[in-house]
Amino acid sequence: MPPLLSVHGLTKRYGARIGCADVGFDLYPGEVLGIVGESGSGKSTLLNCLAGHLAPDEGQVIFDTRAEGPRDVLQMSEPERRMLGRTDWAFVHQNPRDGLRMRISAGGNVGERLMAVGARHYGDIREQALDWLGRVEIADERIDDRPSAFSGGMQQRLQIARNLVTGPRLVFMDEPTGGLDVSVQARLLDLIRGLVRRMGLSAIVVTHDLAVVRLLADRLMVMKDGHVIETGLTDQVLDDPQAAYTQLLVSSVLQV
Amino acid sequence: MSDYNFAYLDEQTKRMIRRAILKGVAVPGYQVPFASREMPMPYGWGTGGVQVSAACLTPDDTFKVIDQGADDTTNAVSIRKFFEKTAGVAVTERTCEATIIQTRHRIPEDPLTEDQILVYQVPIPEPLRFLEPSEVETRRMHALEDYGLMHVKLYEDISRHGEIATAYAYPVKVEGRYVMDPSPIPKFDNPKLESAALQLFGAGREQRIYAVPPYTKVVSLDFEDYPFDPSKAPHPCALCGAEDSYLDEVITDDKGSRMFVCSDTDFCASRRAAGHVGVAGAEVPA
Ligand SMILES: Nc1ncnc2c1ncn2[C@@H]1O[C@H](COP(=O)(O)OP(=O)(O)OP(=O)(O)O)[C@@H](O)[C@H]1O
Ligand SMILES: [Mg+2]
Ligand SMILES: [Zn+2]
């Protein structure tokens, strides 16, 4: 089975400063990759380069497309990349305001991707929106409410529904539980884990919260100063970290 | 007497506007930026339409101006007078006699011909504006034909009102490519956007010109289970009896009596002159 995503030598500089440097990895279908590291280590930079939101300076991001097999996303035209962004890919932002339309109803938010790829039957769109609101535990009667009337946790769940409605194969998440209360975080994590497992999604999850990767990620990549310094199975890396920095990271978090 | 160039604008400005118009005709529905000039009237009075008219007028033209279908509103009268004075062109209230018609909020009822140009005054040219405030983003959406958001607006309409409640400025897709705001005409007029005449749209404040060339395909956006419905009041015109025209409700006395009459005053007057009479036709002088 070929990797769903294959990344080689990905480098992004901000002037003289390094965002991320020479990052490479393979992600297989159904696999969840966690990216951890301290603030400023390059996690978001990497994720945004992968998702096509930032243009890297060097490297390849090869995605196994449905129609044409493996293709370098960075060489695609903007319309092709956008199409990928609303069909096979999904991006969950840390701040739901960045990933939702706050002036559009919950149903409209979920339906947007369907309409973007050509859905033109109101009844069908609404039915799918209801189905997805249910899957993220938002009550049916909230379908016509705007997300501004939702709690932070609900907004995040709505963002997830809006992203998953087109049945993407690859989901990028940047700190999906950041900024939420601890109890809300736990429930959201459970929900994400259930969806990922049930839909057989591949995902790349950025976080500085090791509890998140412990629960979600099959494999882990540890970043420092833009470089990947350690990779491996999640339990392996967390229980028996090799790099001195990872040991520090694991122990300091465990003490918190 | 004239301190002005013909039709007020200098020749260089008119050439610049004509280039924008030509580009608009070449790419139907695409909003072409242009350097809008100060006109001796405030924005909101149709300065975009006036500049387009100025760039199109020739001394042989016959000019008509309508506002909500009527030739005699303040706005229509002042624009007509403006070109009478600055261009010395003939003016008319008859749709069939006009070669250039500037309009706000209506398309004349009588089908236009290949020899006519319809110039619309446009307040907000961007159909995606209500949903996406960023100009950079809306331009990208047009460039990439990324129009899902337009249907989100219609979806919101149905979810809130049980039907597509957009009654004016109803969005259309032009020649299968660009989504366009037809200006605040009633959706009743949308089918008339497929016309033998050249249609030009000018937005002064927003500095945009766009065009629908003759015989261009113009489709009103909708859903399969909520198809576009131009809708019409269920009455005939009280004056001329027309059953297929767009009607305005007018109050006829201080006791609040009302009647529905054609909003296109020339259309109504022509019908009455030809002998058509509505239920109130005999009582109200033409
Ligand atoms: N737009 C930018 N311009 C200049 N430098 C940037 C920019 N964005 C990020 N950087 C720098 O690149 C490096 C990596 O930043 P990045 O945001 O990717 O880190 P991160 O791991 O996501 O951090 P955090 O956990 O705080 O979100 C940092 O040194 C940061 O200051
Ligand atoms: Mg970050
Ligand atoms: Zn009438």
Side-chain angles (χ1 to χ4, degrees):
Chain A
M1 190 164 44
L4 185 65
L5 193 72
S6 189
V7 180
H8 306 281
L10 203 66
T11 299
K12 170 72 187 177
R13 295 181 206 91
Y14 299 104
R17 187 181 297 148
I18 286 177
C20 64
D22 197 25
V23 177
F25 64 88
D26 286 338
L27 181 77
Y28 286 87
E31 194 176 30
V32 178
L33 174 70
I35 302 176
V36 297
E38 65 191 2
S39 184
S41 58
K43 307 182 296 290
S44 296
T45 300
L46 173 59
L47 199 69
N48 283 308
C49 285
L50 295 174
H53 299 166
L54 265 181
D57 299 305
E58 289 158 43
Q60 294 177 306
V61 177
I62 296 168
F63 179 70
D64 188 14
T65 64
R66 280 185 218 239
E68 296 170 75
R71 286 194 56 197
D72 188 348
V73 174
L74 304 176
Q75 304 299 323
M76 286 182 180
S77 67
E78 175 79 8
E80 283 180 303
R81 227 183 350 254
R82 277 220 161 189
M83 183 49 90
L84 209 54
R86 36 180 211 244
T87 53
D88 265 356
W89 287 10
F91 196 105
V92 178
H93 295 263
Q94 168 172 358
N95 187 343
R97 285 172 181 277
D98 296 332
L100 291 174
R101 294 194 185 276
M102 299 308 281
R103 302 199 303 175
I104 299 294
S105 70
N109 265 285
V110 178
E112 180 175 352
R113 274 170 74 110
L114 296 171
M115 293 182 248
V117 297
R120 293 291 178 265
H121 191 284
Y122 176 84
D124 290 350
I125 294 164
R126 196 149 172 97
E127 206 167 295
Q128 289 202 57
L130 276 172
D131 176 43
W132 267 98
L133 290 180
R135 291 204 223 180
V136 298
E137 299 165 16
I138 294 175
D140 285 6
E141 67 260 25
R142 304 303 300 267
I143 187 170
D144 294 327
D145 294 348
R146 292 180 182 192
S148 47
F150 289 3
S151 70
M154 279 173 81
Q155 289 180 2
Q156 198 57 303
R157 281 181 273 134
L158 179 63
Q159 195 196 172
I160 288 165
R162 163 182 164 87
N163 269 282
L164 297 189
V165 67
T166 46
R169 293 191 292 152
L170 177 57
V171 185
F172 301 98
M173 299 189 223
D174 194 353
E175 305 273 7
T177 60
L180 296 173
D181 293 344
V182 179
S183 62
V184 178
Q185 277 188 21
R187 185 172 163 210
L188 183 63
L189 267 179
D190 256 8
L191 184 100
I192 294 176
R193 187 161 73 153
L195 288 171
V196 165
R197 294 284 178 260
R198 229 170 300 133
M199 296 176 74
L201 291 175
S202 309
I204 300 179
V205 184
V206 158
T207 180
H208 58 258
D209 184 346
L210 296 187
V212 170
V213 287
R214 176 82 83 179
L215 205 66
L216 283 182
D218 305 304
R219 273 195 311 135
L220 209 55
M221 226 162 70
V222 182
M223 289 187 75
K224 183 178 190 304
D225 299 332
H227 294 266
V228 175
I229 56 160
E230 184 161 358
T231 61
L233 296 175
T234 303
D235 291 343
Q236 231 169 47
V237 175
L238 292 184
D239 298 339
D240 185 20
Q242 300 299 303
Y245 173 76
T246 315
Q247 292 168 359
L248 211 65
L249 194 75
V250 170
S251 60
S252 67
V253 168
L254 289 181
Q255 277 161 22
V256 171
Chain B
M1 64 127 228
S2 175
D3 298 335
Y4 310 112
N5 193 27
F6 174 79
Y8 187 76
L9 292 174
D10 62 84
E11 290 307 309
Q12 193 158 337
T13 300
K14 284 193 276 186
R15 267 199 299 277
M16 177 271 293
I17 294 171
R18 285 176 199 139
R19 274 197 296 272
I21 291 172
L22 286 173
K23 187 166 176 184
V25 169
V27 191
Y30 172 74
Q31 297 168 49
V32 184
F34 81 109
S36 182
R37 292 298 143 92
E38 289 288 328
M39 297 303 285
M41 58 194 73
Y43 288 124
W45 279 68
T47 56
V50 167
Q51 289 176 80
V52 169
S53 292
C56 291
L57 277 170
T58 68
D60 297 334
D61 274 310
T62 302
F63 191 58
K64 167 180 164 88
V65 187
I66 47 173
D67 179 5
Q68 312 263 16
D71 298 76
D72 57 0
T73 68
T74 318
N75 187 304
V77 169
S78 70
I79 292 172
R80 197 166 57 231
K81 284 221 177 101
F82 176 75
F83 282 116
E84 249 184 314
K85 185 168 166 215
T86 61
V89 289
V91 296
T92 183
E93 298 195 359
R94 302 294 313 278
T95 298
C96 59
E97 287 171 4
T99 53
I100 298 184
I101 303 171
Q102 182 170 330
T103 180
R104 174 173 173 269
H105 294 193
R106 279 308 314 278
I107 298 177
E109 302 291 355
D110 281 326
L112 301 179
T113 67
E114 290 176 5
D115 302 324
Q116 295 178 304
I117 299 176
L118 185 60
V119 178
Y120 296 76
Q121 304 172 198
V122 179
I124 300 167
E126 178 50 68
L128 300 159
R129 178 63 69 244
F130 155 84
L131 301 144
E132 177 53 69
S134 156
E135 172 77 20
V136 174
E137 186 56 25
T138 53
R139 278 207 219 182
R140 187 177 300 141
M141 291 160 102
H142 283 294
L144 299 177
E145 238 183 308
D146 190 354
Y147 289 132
L149 203 51
M150 209 63 246
H151 272 86
V152 172
K153 181 179 189 292
L154 302 181
Y155 168 96
E156 292 288 283
D157 252 17
I158 301 172
S159 72
R160 219 171 304 146
H161 309 287
E163 60 180 352
I164 299 177
T166 302
Y168 294 89
Y170 192 105
V172 294
K173 195 162 203 180
V174 180
E175 203 63 23
R177 178 58 181 86
Y178 284 96
V179 167
M180 186 188 93
D181 184 325
S183 88
I185 57 172
K187 65 176 176 174
F188 175 86
D189 281 344
N190 271 27
K192 295 194 218 107
L193 288 162
E194 287 191 348
S195 170
L198 170 62
Q199 300 171 83
L200 302 174
F201 299 77
R205 188 179 32 217
E206 305 247 350
Q207 316 211 50
R208 292 288 184 279
I209 286 172
Y210 49 103
V212 174
Y215 306 111
T216 299
K217 190 167 176 213
V218 181
V219 177
S220 302
L221 302 182
D222 61 5
F223 287 101
E224 289 157 18
D225 46 344
Y226 287 84
F228 172 73
D229 170 18
S231 85
K232 184 198 168 296
H235 332 269
C237 169
L239 298 181
C240 76
E243 311 233 358
D244 53 0
S245 64
Y246 189 74
L247 304 177
D248 282 338
E249 188 175 11
V250 294
I251 293 169
T252 50
D253 59 29
D254 54 9
K255 290 190 281 296
S257 308
R258 291 150 196 278
M259 64 177 183
F260 290 92
V261 301
C262 295
S263 112
D264 183 336
T265 49
D266 172 59
F267 175 78
C268 198
S270 304
R271 279 179 54 84
R272 276 178 284 151
H276 297 278
V277 183
V279 288
E283 301 150 35
V284 183

